[in-house]
Amino acid sequence: MSGEHTTDTKSLVGKLVILAAAMFGFGFLMVPLYDIFCDITGFGGKIDTTRPAVVESQLPDLSRTVTIEFVTSVNEYAPWEFRPAVTSMEIHPGEFYETTFYARNLTPRRIVGQAVPSIAPGAAARYLQKTECFCFTSQQFEADEAKDMPVRFIVDTDLPEYVDRITLAYTFFVIDQVVSSSGTTGI
């Protein structure tokens, strides 16, 4: 009976090892699979910030008004003041618009930040196209420096009729500590 018990134990241990490896593999693949899913569907407000949008000329839809809300946040402990110049705009799909966001480095040293955008509802992400945005590149700030950073955008006239409000949100992160002239790092 002891040999049978050992075989059962080895079989159970083998199955548990395979189960643990499968769970690890599934967890490891979830992020890339979710990113692919979001890129394809626009779900979660994920948008491509690696390049500016190429926008075809289109006639504005003056019969339709959409509210664009601008929301900002900074990650916890980030040394920034960050806010939109306006909190919302009434726009017509097919027209170009521009607004600015204000950011200020609250530290006595140089730092580099990056804004990460998201759009809600997710179905609107493919229709809001930014032609110029501070989120396309990292932003370097000198000690206590403040900047007004522009965003130029257009909402495609093919935006579904049920979408009458879009939220464009940015979170500003510190991405680099800049070495000061004394050789110490900040943050």
Side-chain angles (χ1 to χ4, degrees):
M1 178 113 169
S2 146
E4 185 179 308
H5 181 60
T6 303
T7 305
D8 288 344
T9 302
K10 286 181 181 179
S11 175
L12 178 62
V13 169
K15 289 176 184 177
L16 289 174
V17 168
I18 290 170
L19 179 65
M23 289 171 49
F24 175 78
F26 181 72
F28 184 76
L29 290 175
M30 281 302 295
V31 172
L33 291 174
Y34 181 75
D35 284 342
I36 292 168
F37 173 75
C38 290
D39 289 342
I40 292 169
T41 64
F43 181 76
K46 291 191 79 161
I47 54 176
D48 183 8
T49 60
T50 59
R51 60 182 170 73
V54 176
V55 181
E56 295 179 19
S57 178
Q58 54 183 307
L59 293 175
D61 182 355
L62 300 177
S63 68
R64 184 170 179 202
T65 302
V66 176
T67 302
I68 306 288
E69 296 176 322
F70 303 105
V71 177
T72 59
S73 63
V74 293
N75 65 328
E76 191 175 9
Y77 308 115
W80 305 103
E81 180 180 348
F82 183 46
R83 66 178 181 268
V86 296
T87 57
S88 67
M89 297 172 82
E90 298 290 320
I91 63 105
H92 296 290
E95 279 190 31
F96 279 95
Y97 292 90
E98 183 173 338
T99 188
T100 59
F101 287 74
Y102 173 84
R104 185 168 71 98
N105 174 4
L106 300 175
T107 70
R109 60 196 157 274
R110 239 182 316 164
I111 55 177
V112 178
Q114 179 73 48
V116 177
S118 67
I119 297 173
R126 66 184 343 179
Y127 301 100
L128 191 146
Q129 301 171 18
K130 293 179 285 182
T131 59
E132 178 183 344
C133 184
F134 61 93
C135 66
F136 293 157
T137 60
S138 58
Q139 304 292 319
Q140 182 169 312
F141 288 78
E142 297 299 324
D144 201 40
E145 180 182 12
K147 296 180 185 181
D148 285 316
M149 303 175 298
V151 175
R152 291 198 66 205
F153 65 92
I154 185 172
V155 174
D156 195 294
T157 55
D158 292 334
L159 179 72
E161 286 294 324
Y162 66 87
V163 178
D164 62 354
R165 181 175 301 272
I166 299 172
T167 302
L168 176 57
Y170 290 98
T171 302
F172 215 55
F173 294 92
V174 173
I175 61 166
D176 193 16
Q177 300 178 16
V178 179
V179 178
S180 71
S181 57
S182 66
T184 61
T185 60
I187 307 297

